[in-house]
Amino acid sequence: MLTIDEIKNISFRKATLSGGYRAEDVDAFIDEVIATFEQQKKEKTNLVHKIDRLATRLEEYREDEETVRNALLTSQKMSDACIKEAKEKAARIVRDAEEKAQALVSDANRMTALEKDKYLQLQTDAVELRNELIELYSRHIKNIDDLPTASDVDQSREELDSKYPTEPVAQPAPKPAPKQAPVQQPAEAPKVTDATTRVAIKRPGKFNHLKFGDNYDVSDE
């Protein structure tokens, strides 16, 4: 296949001394030029087909790219929506947790304040009870201090003896102890002689002396 430079620089052999080229050389060159152009046309046609296929594929790629881009945009929107929803849900959970924690803290503070008030009230009651006990014991101690002591009794005895002298009084003799009545032994119960006929014998019991009401006696049982 000829190149552009070969076509430009072609030289033919002289046919005669007077000028002109040899016909076989020109024909051969023309054949080569035709073959070259046919080959280039064929290559051009192949290139055009390739370009068409590439253009078609490029369109397909562009369509796919648009589809992918739309899918990416949709996915991005869905992702943004999920992230936004997750953030809102997380914020709501945190807000609820903070509110519950605040409520628990408030309840704990209120209960602590109540317990403190109860403790202080108990302390106040204890102080009042202490003051009452001190006052009560003070009165008792004062009353005890007002009672006479052994030295006061001795002094009163001396004053009474000096003021009202008396003779010593004889102590009365002790009374004799009362005599105890003798204990009577219970009579022996009679023997039962008839085995077929048994007569109930009234025996003294340990509850015979007890009576309940006017007409009830344990010994009658």
Side-chain angles (χ1 to χ4, degrees):
M1 187 175 64
L2 296 174
T3 64
I4 299 298
D5 292 335
E6 288 177 346
I7 293 173
K8 289 180 178 180
N9 299 322
I10 188 66
S11 61
F12 299 105
R13 291 177 296 174
K14 300 292 185 180
T16 59
L17 295 175
S18 58
Y21 299 101
R22 297 181 62 175
E24 60 271 19
D25 292 341
V26 174
D27 293 337
F29 177 73
I30 292 173
D31 292 336
E32 289 183 3
V33 170
I34 292 172
T36 299
F37 274 98
E38 288 179 352
Q39 182 67 26
Q40 289 182 352
K41 183 179 179 181
K42 185 178 180 179
E43 291 179 356
K44 180 181 179 181
T45 302
N46 293 332
L47 289 174
V48 169
H49 288 306
K50 288 182 180 180
I51 291 172
D52 290 337
R53 289 199 299 270
L54 289 174
T56 302
R57 294 184 64 181
L58 182 60
E59 277 301 317
E60 292 177 355
Y61 288 153
R62 286 178 178 176
E63 292 178 358
D64 293 340
E65 181 182 5
E66 187 68 21
T67 303
V68 171
R69 183 182 295 107
N70 293 333
L72 289 175
L73 290 175
T74 303
S75 177
Q76 184 66 33
K77 290 179 180 179
M78 293 179 62
S79 177
D80 294 340
C82 291
I83 292 174
K84 182 179 180 181
E85 183 179 0
K87 288 182 178 180
E88 291 177 354
K89 186 175 181 180
R92 184 168 60 253
I93 292 173
V94 171
R95 185 171 59 254
D96 293 341
E98 289 178 351
E99 291 177 356
K100 290 181 179 179
Q102 186 65 30
L104 290 175
V105 171
S106 299
D107 292 340
N109 289 332
R110 184 170 59 256
M111 292 179 64
T112 302
L114 291 175
E115 293 298 326
K116 286 170 60 178
D117 293 339
K118 290 180 180 179
Y119 178 76
L120 293 175
Q121 185 62 41
L122 289 175
Q123 292 287 329
T124 303
D125 295 340
V127 170
E128 293 178 357
L129 178 60
R130 178 178 180 274
N131 295 331
E132 291 177 359
L133 290 175
I134 290 174
E135 184 179 358
L136 180 61
Y137 289 155
S138 299
R139 289 200 302 268
H140 288 175
I141 292 172
K142 185 177 182 301
N143 293 332
I144 291 171
D145 290 338
D146 293 338
L147 294 176
T149 62
S151 60
D152 295 334
V153 173
D154 294 337
Q155 184 178 358
S156 297
R157 182 182 295 110
E158 292 177 357
E159 291 178 355
L160 290 174
D161 289 341
S162 62
K163 189 174 182 179
Y164 306 102
T166 58
E167 296 293 333
V169 180
Q171 296 294 331
K175 294 181 180 180
K179 295 181 180 180
Q180 295 182 353
V183 179
Q184 295 181 358
Q185 298 294 331
E188 184 177 357
K191 296 181 180 180
V192 179
T193 57
D194 191 359
T196 59
T197 304
R198 296 181 181 274
V199 180
I201 301 174
K202 187 175 181 181
R203 298 180 180 178
K206 60 181 180 179
F207 299 109
N208 289 344
H209 64 285
L210 298 177
K211 292 184 178 181
F212 299 89
D214 296 337
N215 302 319
Y216 186 85
D217 191 349
V218 176
S219 60
D220 292 339
E221 294 293 331

